[in-house]
Amino acid sequence: QIQLVQSGPELKKPGESVKISCKASGYTFTDYAMHWVKQAPGKGLKWMGWINTYTGKPTYADDFKGRFVFSLEASASTANLQISNLKNEDTATYFCARSEMYTWGQGASVTVSS
Amino acid sequence: DIVMTQAPLSVSVTPGESASISCRSSKSLLHSNGITYVYWYLQKPGKSPQLLIYRMSNLASGVPDRFSGSGSETDFTLKISRVEAEDVGIYYCGQLLENPLTFGSGTKLEIK
């Protein structure tokens, strides 16, 4: 069956970086786009952007340009989200979701605290 | 950006009764290909969102047929017939017509 399995929780200090992975299985990875969605504690869903898993081209929502990088390890059917220069407001759960957001990962929690 | 406005903020339903959630978009979600790109998701407590309805009225695989979606170009409704205890959570509408993709603020469904 189609699955997206994300990496585990992270506790980071302001200014550090974090890399979250999303490993896909049950389908051909490069056939479907991958989206990233942020959910701050107690808040709603915010779309961060998507990556074309065939070409590797990322598209970022305006609020996520600069410190956020989407990348791929296509041979491992894995999409990654890297956040640099972490800020307190990056504390959230980050979800990957396959094209049309039909399938979601379980979420990866990132806590930024000094 | 397309703004998605949901109502109500919360709804309390007796098991076995029906519930409706509304969503309005600030722009038509009808594409020239005839597809209306509105989606409905349910986020159960402590879980990731799950797709219920795609392209306005199509039931996602494995979703009970108690759920249905309808609407026009800018006004949409998710209806849940015969609500069950397992339906509790936050319901989100979302538009996948154009970037940036946007979601409504959510409707919390509780059981009386």
Side-chain angles (χ1 to χ4, degrees):
Chain A
Q1 77 282 22
I2 295 167
Q3 266 193 307
L4 300 176
V5 178
Q6 297 186 236
S7 47
E10 301 271 6
L11 175 60
K12 296 290 185 181
K13 290 181 166 48
E16 294 184 336
S17 296
V18 69
K19 189 173 186 179
I20 297 164
S21 65
C22 170
K23 183 169 178 59
S25 61
Y27 69 98
T28 301
F29 181 71
T30 51
D31 282 353
Y32 297 88
M34 193 70 77
H35 295 270
W36 289 95
V37 175
K38 176 183 179 181
Q39 187 170 41
K43 301 296 185 182
L45 305 172
K46 187 165 186 176
W47 182 74
M48 301 174 67
W50 69 286
I51 186 164
N52 184 318
T53 54
Y54 186 75
T55 64
K57 180 186 175 185
T59 299
Y60 301 97
D62 284 348
D63 286 349
F64 299 98
K65 290 178 179 175
R67 299 186 298 113
F68 300 82
V69 176
F70 306 148
S71 63
L72 302 174
E73 295 171 50
S75 61
S77 299
T78 298
N80 300 305
L81 164 64
Q82 184 157 354
I83 311 172
S84 59
N85 188 20
L86 282 162
K87 304 177 186 305
N88 290 334
E89 53 263 37
D90 296 325
T91 294
T93 298
Y94 294 87
F95 296 99
C96 57
R98 201 185 79 154
S99 178
E100 290 195 88
M101 302 190 201
Y102 206 102
T103 304
W104 294 63
Q106 84 274 22
S109 170
V110 174
T111 302
V112 183
S113 174
S114 53
Chain B
D1 299 2
I2 297 176
V3 177
M4 304 293 285
T5 304
Q6 279 185 243
L9 200 60
S10 66
V11 61
S12 185
V13 187
T14 300
E17 294 192 341
S18 295
S20 289
I21 299 170
S22 297
C23 178
R24 177 170 293 176
S25 59
S26 61
K27 175 182 172 178
S28 172
L29 299 184
L30 175 62
H31 191 277
S32 56
N33 63 10
I35 296 172
T36 303
Y37 285 93
V38 65
Y39 295 67
W40 290 96
Y41 303 90
L42 165 60
Q43 188 172 29
K44 295 183 178 181
K47 301 292 186 182
S48 55
Q50 62 182 93
L51 179 67
L52 298 174
I53 301 290
Y54 64 99
R55 302 181 183 182
M56 190 169 73
S57 59
N58 297 278
L59 196 65
S61 178
V63 176
D65 61 7
R66 302 183 291 102
F67 292 87
S68 62
S70 63
S72 61
E73 296 185 23
T74 59
D75 288 274
F76 313 100
T77 301
L78 175 72
K79 183 175 180 181
I80 313 167
S81 305
R82 305 181 305 280
V83 168
E84 299 183 2
E86 66 176 21
D87 300 334
V88 297
I90 301 176
Y91 291 78
Y92 295 95
C93 60
Q95 67 81 17
L96 274 65
L97 177 69
E98 64 182 39
N99 293 343
L101 307 188
T102 49
F103 297 94
S105 55
T107 296
K108 186 173 186 178
L109 186 144
E110 297 175 323
I111 298 295
K112 283 183 182 175

